[in-house]
Each structure stands twice: as structure tokens, then as C-alpha cells.
Amino acid sequence: MSSAMSGSALPVLALPHPLILLPTGRITFPVSKAIGEALLSLVRESDEQPLVAAVPQTAPEASLYQWGTAARIIRLIKPATGNMKQYFLLSLNGVTRVRILDNNPDLPVVNSGVVYKKVEYQGSTGTPTSDSIVKFKAAALKLL
């Protein structure tokens, strides 16, 4: 794994409720101009496809869930010139689960921007514990 995967701060991107991105999954959805421009800068500054933490919301207009997925930006389509109300179209490819370490009420909601938060990467070695499976199922049901 790359040095970016060892644990650090990632830009956190709120996924609109009820979207969820799992590791190895792909998702495409519209993002606001502000978020699109911030992600475009991130793509331009990086030598490879940058990582973001794609974190679902617990409910519409609610705070973000504590767990998300580190994802690579695989495509970012800018709206046609002259149409300023149109959204960017973002495609992400999930890499691994991450937990937001400095989770607090001021985490962004959809289209409010991109902020950097400390994350902890979930190890992919071994079998998940039965406790973590129960927690995952409960969280998935809550989000659905």
C-alpha cells in the first residue's frame, strides 16, 4: 500500500443520503460547483488519482456517519461552460474502509464543502470479528 494508505488526514466528502460506497465499489453522483472546484484542485495537484474519504450521511440533512470508504477519484466531469447551475459529475472507486477519528458535529453535510479529517484505515487482514459484523449490519440497516 502507498504511504497515503498508512493513516493520516484525508479530504472528507459527504455522500448524499442514501448513497453508500463500499471498498471495491464504484459510484457516480453530482456534486456542487464548490466541491467540484475543490476536488479539481486536488486532482491537479496530485501525481496520481487522489484519495478522499467518502462518508455517508445518517439521514438527509444530517451529520456524517463515523465510518466511510477511502476512495480514488477516477473521473470528475466539469459542467459545460456558461451553465453555472449545473453540477460536476464525480466518479469514485472504493479502496478500503476508514474511520473518521475527529468526528464532531461540524462535519460537512452534502454540498457544504470538503474538509480534511484524521482517519484510521481498517486493516484488511484476517476475518472480521462477529462484533464488527453485527455493528456493520446494524449501521447498514440504519442507513438503508
Side-chain angles (χ1 to χ4, degrees):
M1 294 190 161
S2 70
S3 61
M5 298 279 296
S6 61
S8 57
L10 284 180
V12 174
L13 181 64
L15 293 178
H17 182 79
L19 295 182
I20 299 172
L21 177 64
L22 299 174
T24 72
R26 288 188 179 210
I27 192 170
T28 299
F29 60 99
V31 294
S32 70
K33 182 181 179 204
I35 291 175
E37 293 290 344
L39 293 175
L40 191 58
S41 295
L42 190 65
V43 168
R44 288 180 176 154
E45 294 169 5
S46 181
D47 293 337
E48 57 184 31
Q49 293 171 317
L51 277 176
V52 297
V55 182
Q57 289 182 280
T58 55
E61 303 303 318
S63 62
L64 298 181
Y65 192 62
Q66 185 179 5
W67 288 88
T69 300
R72 295 223 179 265
I73 298 173
I74 54 175
R75 181 179 287 168
L76 183 62
I77 300 173
K78 195 172 183 176
T81 308
N83 189 351
M84 301 316 278
K85 290 187 175 186
Q86 192 174 14
Y87 289 90
F88 278 70
L89 198 58
L90 173 65
S91 295
L92 299 174
N93 184 31
V95 177
T96 187
R97 283 183 58 194
V98 292
R99 183 169 66 97
I100 309 300
L101 295 178
D102 48 359
N103 196 2
N104 59 44
D106 69 347
L107 279 175
V109 294
V110 173
N111 293 334
S112 67
V114 177
V115 296
Y116 281 78
K117 294 288 181 179
K118 292 179 184 174
V119 299
E120 174 182 79
Y121 292 91
Q122 180 69 30
S124 59
T125 58
T127 305
T129 65
S130 59
D131 184 45
S132 64
I133 292 170
V134 168
K135 286 181 182 177
F136 177 79
K137 285 182 180 179
L141 287 173
K142 181 179 177 184
L143 286 169
L144 296 174

